[in-house]
Structure formats: structure tokens, C-alpha cells
Amino acid sequence: MIAANLATLVARAKLRASEAQLRHLMEHAADSFFLHEGSGKIISVNHQAAQIIGHSEETLLTMSMEEFSRGETYSGISELSNLSEIGQGLIREGEFIDSSGRVVPVEMSTSMISRDDAVLFLTVCRDITDRKKAEAELRAAKESAEMANKAKSNFLAVMSHEIRTPMNGILGTSDLLLRTPLNERQMHYANIGKQSTLKLLNLINEILDYSKIEAGRLVLSHERLDFVSIIEDILDLLAPETIKKAIEFITLFPPDLPRHFLGDATRLSQVFVNLIGNAVKFTDAGHVFVKVAANEVTDSEWELQVAIEDTGIGIEETFLEHIFDRFSQVDDSITRRFEGTGLGLAISRQIVELMDGTIHVDSELGQGSKFTVTLRMPIAQTLTKPSTSGCKMTLSTPKRVLVVDDNRTNCEALKSMLSHWGVEVHMDQSGAMALQSIDHAYKDERPFDLALIDLDMPGMDGVALVEEIRRNSDWRGIQLIMLNSSAQNIDRPSSLDGKIHSQLLKPIKQVELLRQLVRVWELDLQDPGIEGPGAAETDHKSALKRINALVVEDNMSNQAIARLMLENLNCRVDVANNGREAVEQFTTGDYDVIFMDCRMPVLDGLEATREIRATDSDSSDVIIIALTANARPEDRERCLASGMNDFVAKPVSLGDLETVLKTWCRSK
């Protein structure tokens, strides 16, 4: 009996000690404590609980949790009566109503405890008013930002649509013009018009890409591309500016470079237009040199290193670390002199990094800059052809060529190209030196077979040098090709008629140089990468004969362009002015393919497509291609969801139409 009483006293002492500890914890805690029964009746509270509810501790001891709990807060607490284990609990958020009627959001943790053989509940609460306010402000800011982004995206989409529509006419007419018989100067001008349109298209895409990059939604394509042509097309595009500034434009590709790779041609062009364009913009004298180095990493992958080197203004060392930042410009004076958004380099770096490549800059103020892009690219294995620089000529006898150009870098680039083809090269940087070299060569009985002469040189220019060479009857065996920096001077001067074989426009393309050598020396050309003129076009036409096409377009200029391009591909073409006319003409006509614009009055292209697909006739046979200035990925998804087979964004080239027709239509 005594032992039992003693055990009871000890247990009670421990319980009092435990309750004292709990009371001490409750009074000194920052949170509110409510000790209550399963019914909600409050047994004990601390000072903080009285403050959060706005009643005294004595008043709270006469109340139930239900009296100041809002909504499902108390029902959540009452559910704890179903808990079966001591220590079990629930953490949740709820709301109290204080004595003034204010709603107080709280975070609660309620646990089951044991006291005097009774089961009680301890609810610990924390006022989260400030947190909820911050969360609400954050939600509002997020919604506002999303609305702003949506408005910006819609604005950019409308702007893109409105600009692409007239661009479609420019690009289409340029393509058609290039399919007609043109002389060298006319073809050069037409190409500049086409490439300028493509540059404008790239600028529009850059604006859209900036929004995509910000949102992390820029996706790269993985398609067959011609790397050499990408670079050379950019040089054609920028050549007029170099002519205006009288600076040299020089390129050099390695002889073993495969011509075709897999990648995103549009993004690559975007990067190199920016880098090469900047080099031209910031160079007033000297040259811009684009040098491509290549290394075979595996049987299917090459590492390409493209260096864009200029003799321009250069960049201060302190600014180099910020050169790829968005909206950055070198300094205020440069900003006033050279236009630009400051976005180009930032976007270029992000695109290169998306390709798992690197971009690096070396520069010194007043000494020019060198931007180097390094990329690993897979070869287009089944379709690849060797680059032009990898072509072979059959030389029956050794050939010697004299290169005369005051720019040493240009001389070295030409020497590299010619040496690969088995040609012996001698370089001179002035007319006077060239005359001495020719004289010595004839005296040594090792005359030059050909001289490549720069037109614009200080002192004795190319015209004067040609005149001097032709005055010497002993030197008549040497063929002369003039290197001309301007298409405007391609027919000048007339005094050279009969004295030179031909002229080459700078920057010198390796394919053009090779063709000139073949013509001059009447050689055999071993080049599977150079197709005869018109061969591809003939093949396309034969594959596309007897196709009946319906063009659905509300813009009259675009109607005319689409009709001309499709007729050029030997299609029979009808035109509908809107979606309603398209549905009517489809029901009475017999069409293999319908090219459908999206934004049109009366009935848009999406609804017209749905109606065509829903007709009783066998509408599944007709191919419907979206031909639209709505160029976003979501626009493509909407077109395909409406029942269209494919999607082509304006501006559309003749090559685009050839490709899509070959993909979807068969000869009949």
C-alpha cells in the first residue's frame, strides 16, 4: 500500500513538473497556444493567444474554439478527435475572427496530448497576415506581368504579321527575277534585294526571339544546312556597306570542310549576321576577315571555329566582360555614332550556348576585335557533298598564278585557296612589284599563266597595271582577271575590253574563283557539289507537273506572287479572295493542294479548313497548307489542329513552295 501511494505521489510530481514546463513554454513562446478538449472547450491559453483573438485570457477560458474560428477552421480541428495516437497531429492554415471582427489568417499545428488520463489537444497558432499580404501582392504582380507579356506577345505577333505581308511580295519577286535570264550585274542586284529582305526577316525574328529567350521558350531546329552558303550569303548582304567604306571583305574556308551539316540555319545566320555586321559597322579602314577552321571530331561530327576579325575601333578591356550583356553599348559616344539596340550580342551568345557552343572576344582599343564562335555540328551524312574548297581540278600542266593586292590578308586567303588546287602562287602588294615579278618570271622561262589583279590599289591601280602588262607583247600569254569590289564598276572601264579575261566580285567566293579558273584554262572540274545551271529546277518541275492548286489570299499582291511562283513550278492555279470563296470553289473544283492564308475577311483560314474537312465529299484527299504571316509556334499548332497538313510562314520563297509541294504532292 505504502509503495503504491509512493508511486502515485511520484507520478503526480512528474505531472506537475511537466505541466509547469508546458506553462513555461506557453508563456515564453512567440506563437499562440490553445489547450482545449476535443469539443473545443478551452482549458488553457497563453498571453499571445489572448492578443491574437483580442480577448483576455480569463474570457478565453470561458469560450470554445468554435466561437472565433471561421469557415472550416474549427471543423478541421474537430476532426482531430478521430486521432488515436498521442502525438498525432495536423498542420494546416485557417482563419480566426478577433474581437473587432477582423479576419486573422493563421497557420496552425494541433496535436493530441495526455493529461490526468484525459486526452486533450494543443493547438499552436501563428499570425500569417503579413505573409498572406505578401503572397497576394506577389500574385497580383505575377498576373500583371503575365498580362503585360501577353499584350507584348500579341503586339509583336501583329507587327510581325503586318511586316511579313509586304515582305512576301519582295522576296517572291526577287526569287522570280532570279529565275529569269540576267547578266552578272543584274543577278548581283537581285541577290542583294533578296538577301536584304532576308536580313529584315532576321531582324523581325530577333525581336520575337528576345521574348522567347526571356521566357526560356527558344527551340532550335535540326535540319540539313549549307554552312558555306550561310556565310557567303551574309557577305553578299553586307558587301555594299564595305564598298561604301572602301574596306576589304575576306573569307577563307578549309579545303576539307564538308558542305552540309545538321543544325538550325536560321539561328546560325542570325548569329553571324550580327557578328559580321558589327565588324563592318565598327571598321572604317582596313578589312574584315572571316576565317573558318574545322576539325573532324568523329566520323559524324566536326568542330567548326569561325573567327571574325576586323581592323576597327576595338573595345576597351574594362568593357569586354560586359560586351555580351543585354542593351550594352561600348560607351555613349559610340552609341551616338553607331546605331544598335545592344541586343544582338546577347542574343547571339544565348543562341550559341543553346547549340552547346562558345563565343569569345579578343580586342584592344584602336586595334580591332576578333570574335570567335566554336560549334560542334553533325554532318548531314546521307546528303552531304564536299565544299567548293574541296573540289578538284585536273591540271594537265603545272600552273603559276600571280596575286596582286595591296591587302596582305586578302593575298594570303587567295593563296590558300589556289594552293589547295595544286596551283603555284606568287604574291605582290603593288603594281610596280607585280611588273618586276612578271618580268623576272619570263626571263627565268617560268611565266605566270594567270594574274589576279585588284582594281583599287594605291599608286598604280589595277587598270594601269593591266595597261602596262598589255603594252609588252612578250607578256601576251598571261591571262588577267580583275578583282572588283563594286558591282557598279563591273562594266568599267571600257578600255579593258579585250585586255582581261573576266572580272570577279569581292569578297571572292571559292566557287566563283574555281569556275573562272576552269573557264580560263578549259579544265575538267571534279565537283559533285556544283550542279549545272537549271538542273535542279528541271527536276523540280518534272516532279510537280499537273498539280491543281487553289490559293486563298485576300491580299492582291500576295495573290499575284503566289500565282506566279506556282505557275513557275508548272502548277495550274485558281485564286479565292477569302475563306468563304475557298469553300465554295472547293466543292465545285478538283484541287490537289490548297494554300490557305489565316487572317482573312468574311471567313478566316482556320474556319474555312474546318468547313472543307467537314464536307460530304472526300475532303481528306486535298492537301491544305497554311501560307500565313502568323509565324509563332502556337500559330502552327492552331493551323494543324484545324485540319491543315502543313505550315509555311511568310515571306515565302520559291524554294519553300518547291519543298512543300515535293513533300505532299505526287506527279499525276
Side-chain angles (χ1 to χ4, degrees):
M1 180 67 71
I2 296 175
N5 290 338
L6 181 59
T8 300
L9 291 173
V10 171
R12 289 177 178 175
K14 288 182 178 180
L15 178 60
R16 285 194 295 272
S18 176
E19 290 177 348
Q21 290 177 348
L22 177 60
R23 169 54 60 181
H24 180 79
L25 175 64
M26 292 173 59
E27 290 302 329
H28 292 84
D31 296 324
S32 303
F33 281 69
F34 296 87
L35 184 64
H36 57 90
E37 297 176 352
S39 63
K41 176 176 172 50
I42 298 174
I43 304 299
S44 178
V45 296
N46 65 350
H47 178 66
Q48 286 75 13
Q51 284 188 326
I52 196 172
I53 302 301
H55 290 298
S56 66
E57 294 181 39
E58 291 76 13
T59 301
L60 284 176
L61 294 178
T62 66
M63 299 176 66
S64 168
M65 297 288 290
E66 183 178 12
E67 295 181 50
F68 52 80
S69 295
R70 184 171 185 262
E72 298 181 356
T73 302
Y74 177 71
S75 63
I77 296 172
S78 65
E79 290 174 1
L80 291 170
S81 61
N82 298 321
L83 296 177
S84 58
E85 295 182 11
I86 300 299
Q88 262 189 308
L90 177 68
I91 298 176
R92 62 176 299 168
E93 290 185 2
E95 292 178 331
F96 289 161
I97 301 176
D98 69 9
S99 59
S100 66
R102 181 176 68 94
V103 176
V104 182
V106 292
E107 184 178 67
M108 303 182 301
S109 173
T110 304
S111 302
M112 180 186 296
I113 64 174
S114 176
R115 180 182 180 188
D116 290 336
D117 297 327
V119 175
L120 299 177
F121 297 92
L122 179 65
T123 297
V124 182
C125 302
R126 177 173 296 175
D127 187 342
I128 55 173
T129 301
D130 291 341
R131 191 179 84 186
K132 287 295 183 180
K133 181 180 178 182
E135 288 175 354
E137 291 174 350
L138 185 61
R139 280 194 302 271
K142 181 175 179 290
E143 291 170 0
S144 176
E146 288 173 347
M147 291 177 62
N149 282 335
K150 183 177 180 180
K152 179 177 68 173
S153 178
N154 289 338
F155 168 75
L156 292 175
V158 171
M159 182 186 70
S160 172
H161 180 277
E162 295 304 313
I163 296 176
R164 285 172 186 272
T165 298
M167 282 176 61
N168 189 61
I170 300 171
L171 185 60
T173 51
S174 298
D175 265 344
L176 290 169
L177 183 60
L178 287 168
R179 294 293 179 112
T180 63
L182 301 174
N183 62 35
E184 190 171 358
R185 179 165 60 176
Q186 291 168 335
M187 183 166 289
H188 183 71
Y189 288 155
N191 269 314
I192 289 176
K194 178 179 178 179
Q195 295 305 319
S196 297
T197 305
L198 294 176
K199 181 182 180 183
L200 179 57
L201 178 61
N202 281 336
L203 291 175
I204 296 170
N205 289 335
E206 189 172 87
I207 296 171
L208 297 174
D209 289 342
Y210 177 62
S211 296
K212 291 179 184 177
I213 289 172
E214 279 190 319
R217 294 188 291 110
L218 186 65
V219 179
L220 300 176
S221 66
H222 195 68
E223 301 172 343
R224 181 173 180 259
L225 59 86
D226 186 331
F227 189 82
V228 174
S229 292
I230 287 174
I231 301 297
E232 289 184 338
D233 286 347
I234 294 170
L235 303 186
D236 281 345
L237 175 66
L238 300 175
E241 187 66 20
T242 65
I243 293 167
K244 188 193 309 182
K245 290 186 168 187
I247 59 177
E248 291 282 352
F249 222 158
I250 307 163
T251 60
L252 183 60
F253 296 94
D256 57 346
L257 177 68
R259 192 173 188 102
H260 297 102
F261 292 90
L262 295 175
D264 194 321
T266 300
R267 302 301 174 204
L268 282 173
S269 179
Q270 186 176 349
V271 169
F272 291 120
V273 163
N274 185 270
L275 295 178
I276 300 173
N278 279 350
V280 173
K281 179 166 66 174
F282 293 111
T283 301
D284 291 329
H287 66 258
V288 173
F289 183 24
V290 181
K291 182 179 181 181
V292 179
N295 177 44
E296 186 176 9
V297 180
T298 67
D299 291 340
S300 60
E301 186 178 55
W302 283 60
E303 182 179 84
L304 306 184
Q305 189 175 82
V306 184
I308 298 98
E309 180 181 324
D310 65 64
T311 55
I313 61 173
I315 306 167
E316 289 185 16
E317 184 178 356
T318 55
F319 193 76
L320 285 176
E321 60 182 293
H322 303 293
I323 195 67
F324 294 107
D325 293 348
R326 294 177 185 179
F327 307 111
S328 69
Q329 298 280 356
V330 173
D331 59 36
D332 291 340
S333 64
I334 298 302
T335 304
R336 287 194 295 269
R337 182 182 173 192
F338 301 103
E339 296 179 355
T341 63
L343 276 177
L345 286 178
I347 292 176
S348 295
R349 181 181 66 176
Q350 289 175 306
I351 291 174
V352 169
E353 290 177 350
L354 279 174
M355 295 177 175
D356 294 326
T358 61
I359 183 169
H360 175 72
V361 59
D362 294 296
S363 185
E364 185 177 343
L365 190 63
Q367 300 299 316
S369 303
K370 180 180 178 181
F371 284 81
T372 304
V373 176
T374 303
L375 297 166
R376 283 198 174 191
M377 300 189 66
I379 301 175
Q381 291 274 14
T382 58
L383 298 174
T384 188
K385 298 174 181 178
S387 70
T388 302
S389 55
C391 301
K392 302 294 182 182
M393 292 186 298
T394 302
L395 296 174
S396 56
T397 59
K399 300 295 184 182
R400 299 189 74 219
V401 173
L402 174 65
V403 176
V404 189
D405 196 315
D406 60 298
N407 186 287
R408 180 75 181 182
T409 304
N410 202 30
C411 286
E412 294 287 354
L414 286 168
K415 180 179 180 180
S416 177
M417 297 182 210
L418 292 164
S419 298
H420 171 70
W421 296 323
V423 177
E424 182 183 342
V425 182
H426 179 81
M427 300 182 298
D428 283 322
Q429 292 182 252
S430 71
M433 294 173 63
L435 291 173
Q436 291 180 12
S437 297
I438 294 172
D439 184 52
H440 291 156
Y442 272 92
K443 288 179 179 178
D444 295 341
E445 297 184 352
R446 296 183 68 242
F448 293 107
D449 300 285
L450 173 69
L452 302 175
I453 301 172
D454 185 27
L455 175 63
D456 299 309
M457 293 186 292
M460 181 185 294
D461 65 11
V463 175
L465 177 57
V466 169
E467 297 286 358
E468 286 296 323
I469 293 173
R470 291 309 182 210
R471 284 194 186 99
N472 192 322
S473 59
D474 294 334
W475 297 350
R476 289 178 181 174
I478 184 172
Q479 295 276 18
L480 306 178
I481 293 179
M482 189 70 76
L483 308 180
N484 195 336
S485 296
S486 174
Q488 296 176 344
N489 300 328
I490 201 72
D491 297 328
R492 179 186 68 84
S494 58
S495 60
L496 293 180
D497 291 345
K499 297 178 181 179
I500 64 173
H501 179 276
S502 57
Q503 297 195 55
L504 267 176
L505 280 175
K506 290 185 175 181
I508 305 299
K509 292 183 179 179
Q510 298 181 37
V511 63
E512 296 300 334
L513 176 60
L514 183 62
R515 285 172 175 160
Q516 290 287 359
L517 297 181
V518 169
R519 291 169 188 158
V520 170
W521 294 331
E522 298 180 353
L523 302 172
D524 292 328
L525 176 63
Q526 301 170 11
D527 179 21
I530 301 179
E531 298 173 354
E537 181 180 352
T538 302
D539 290 341
H540 291 334
K541 287 185 176 181
S542 65
L544 299 175
K545 285 180 179 178
R546 300 179 59 189
I547 290 178
N548 296 326
L550 174 64
V551 173
V552 188
E553 169 68 67
D554 63 309
N555 183 283
M556 294 185 65
S557 296
N558 285 339
Q559 286 179 4
I561 294 299
R563 179 192 287 274
L564 287 170
M565 287 196 292
L566 289 169
E567 288 177 347
N568 190 272
L569 297 171
N570 288 340
C571 295
R572 189 187 69 79
V573 183
D574 290 334
V575 174
N577 296 299
N578 55 61
R580 177 56 58 208
E581 290 185 13
V583 175
E584 294 171 356
Q585 288 180 235
F586 168 75
T587 57
T588 59
D590 180 20
Y591 298 105
D592 303 297
V593 60
I594 299 175
F595 289 97
M596 185 78 72
D597 188 25
C598 288
R599 292 190 180 186
M600 293 180 291
V602 185
L603 187 69
D604 65 47
L606 300 179
E607 284 301 321
T609 299
R610 294 187 185 100
E611 289 195 18
I612 289 173
R613 295 303 188 202
T615 57
D616 294 334
S617 60
D618 190 3
S619 63
S620 61
D621 287 345
V622 68
I623 302 300
I624 304 180
I625 309 295
L627 202 64
T628 174
N630 298 333
R632 298 175 299 176
E634 51 265 40
D635 297 320
R636 177 185 179 88
E637 292 170 5
R638 280 195 291 266
C639 289
L640 298 180
S642 72
M644 297 186 190
N645 299 88
D646 208 343
F647 176 97
V648 180
K650 296 176 183 176
V652 181
S653 69
L654 197 57
D656 293 332
L657 293 181
E658 288 175 345
T659 299
V660 75
L661 286 174
K662 287 186 69 177
T663 300
W664 291 101
C665 299
R666 296 178 179 178
S667 298
K668 289 185 146 187

